[in-house]
Amino acid sequence: MPVISLYRDLLALPPRALWPAFSRSCYPKHRPYFDGLVETYGPDAFGPGGLRQAVENAGPAVLQSVRTLVAGGFRPETLVEELLQGCLPLLPGEPPRVYLATLFFLAPAATINVAGEPAITIGLERFVDGDLPPSPPGFPGRFYYRPQEMEEMVPHEACHAARMRVLGLPPTPRRLSLKEMVFLEGTALVFTDRLVARETLRTFLPDDIFHWHEEHQSEVLRTTLADFDQTGMEVFSRYFSPRSRVSGYYAGFCLCRDYLRRYGDDSLSELVVMPSDQVMERLGR
């Protein structure tokens, strides 16, 4: 399984003149990855200056965070390879590439479009091997994670990659409908829940928000289903940002949990790669 330690090339960059050094070394060497970030989230995801702005603004903090993470001898390669060995045999298709890299603080992990194929990336700057610092002011919920919490993120993203490949889904929310986004997240959540024997949605959805969604489940599903045919980053941001009033993660979790309750736990493997319209039909929605 290809695990690419891109972070090592980032750590080799000098502390000053970061963009010129990055554009001469890291970017040419890992161009498909960095172009994939822009393709996945759009040219304005990192601000009007695009990738250059991300490197110049977030780069110093990224390097400091990753350097601190690995300073004590922690090897993310060892952990991620072990986690992949535990989940990939349960998923169909070829194993995806996995980048130990940076997402410039956008997320701790993601599935992105690299040269037209879904690839897993771990944003190492969001992991802290020790006491977690507080989240940035105004950020709801978790921002930093412990390395062992990759136990939830690696299989979650691997499930995304498998579903995208089997169903031919574009590996970017820019070209996905909300319906496809919701079932990508829902299937990944219930798959990972089964693997680690807990509700992983609660790791990053604060308790008060999770309970609100439980209490208003009918409203959450009604609102989400009404927008199912909408496509692109605007609807992605509305339902999958930390400040979303209605969480697309919860909607997907709820629908997939209901599917497993109706058809049994043994139906999980078929659910992971079942077309979204077929899931909705079998749920009677």
Side-chain angles (χ1 to χ4, degrees):
M1 61 195 71
V3 176
I4 301 162
S5 299
L6 188 154
Y7 75 96
R8 294 184 181 275
D9 293 308
L10 289 174
L11 293 180
L13 293 172
R16 297 182 181 178
L18 195 55
W19 171 255
F22 173 86
S23 62
R24 286 194 306 268
S25 58
C26 260
Y27 179 66
K29 183 175 181 179
H30 301 289
R31 181 168 185 165
Y33 174 80
F34 290 107
D35 285 356
L37 284 183
V38 175
E39 163 61 24
T40 300
Y41 296 112
D44 298 326
F46 305 109
L51 182 61
R52 176 170 184 158
Q53 182 173 345
V55 172
E56 291 180 338
N57 291 356
V62 166
L63 296 184
Q64 180 59 43
S65 180
V66 176
R67 190 171 287 116
T68 301
L69 176 66
V70 301
F74 170 64
R75 284 181 52 83
E77 295 90 343
T78 302
L79 175 58
V80 168
E81 286 170 1
E82 178 184 329
L83 295 173
L84 288 168
Q85 289 170 1
C87 71
L88 288 179
L90 305 175
L91 294 167
E94 293 295 316
R97 280 173 289 182
V98 182
Y99 290 87
L100 299 173
T102 178
L103 284 158
F104 297 103
F105 291 101
L106 281 179
T111 302
I112 67 169
N113 182 347
V114 176
E117 291 289 331
I120 298 171
T121 177
I122 306 296
L124 291 175
E125 68 276 7
R126 294 278 293 267
F127 293 89
V128 176
D129 193 11
D131 294 336
L132 297 183
S135 297
F139 188 91
R142 298 280 301 279
F143 190 80
Y144 294 103
Y145 296 85
R146 294 179 176 84
Q148 57 266 33
E149 290 180 291
M150 290 183 199
E151 176 188 41
E152 300 181 8
M153 300 176 193
V154 170
H156 184 106
E157 303 303 331
C159 188
H160 282 343
R163 182 172 174 85
M164 287 172 173
R165 279 186 165 175
V166 170
L167 298 180
L169 300 175
T172 165
R174 297 172 69 197
R175 301 202 301 275
L176 288 169
S177 68
L178 177 61
K179 174 170 56 182
E180 299 300 353
M181 298 178 203
V182 161
F183 279 110
L184 276 165
E185 296 302 339
T187 51
L189 284 165
V190 295
F191 172 77
T192 307
D193 288 357
R194 181 74 57 81
L195 204 62
V196 301
R198 61 179 176 274
E199 287 185 350
T200 52
L201 177 59
R202 305 190 70 154
T203 297
F204 63 91
L205 204 63
D207 285 345
D208 59 334
I209 296 177
F210 186 90
H211 293 318
W212 183 89
H213 279 75
E214 280 191 317
E215 293 167 4
H216 298 83
Q217 181 172 301
S218 296
E219 176 190 344
V220 167
L221 290 177
R222 183 168 58 251
T223 301
T224 307
L225 268 59
D227 289 341
F228 252 22
D229 291 334
Q230 294 189 27
T231 303
M233 289 302 295
E234 189 280 328
V235 72
F236 174 76
S237 298
R238 195 184 334 145
Y239 281 92
F240 296 97
S241 77
R243 296 174 179 82
S244 296
R245 187 187 75 83
V246 172
S247 170
Y249 295 103
Y250 183 88
F253 167 71
C254 182
L255 290 167
C256 291
R257 179 184 58 185
D258 287 353
Y259 185 95
L260 294 176
R261 286 175 175 171
R262 181 174 301 190
Y263 294 101
D265 289 344
D266 290 344
S267 65
L268 176 61
S269 58
E270 67 178 10
L271 173 63
V272 163
V273 293
M274 183 178 291
S276 300
D277 286 339
Q278 186 177 343
V279 180
M280 292 294 287
E281 181 180 351
R282 296 198 71 187
L283 286 172
R285 292 184 175 273

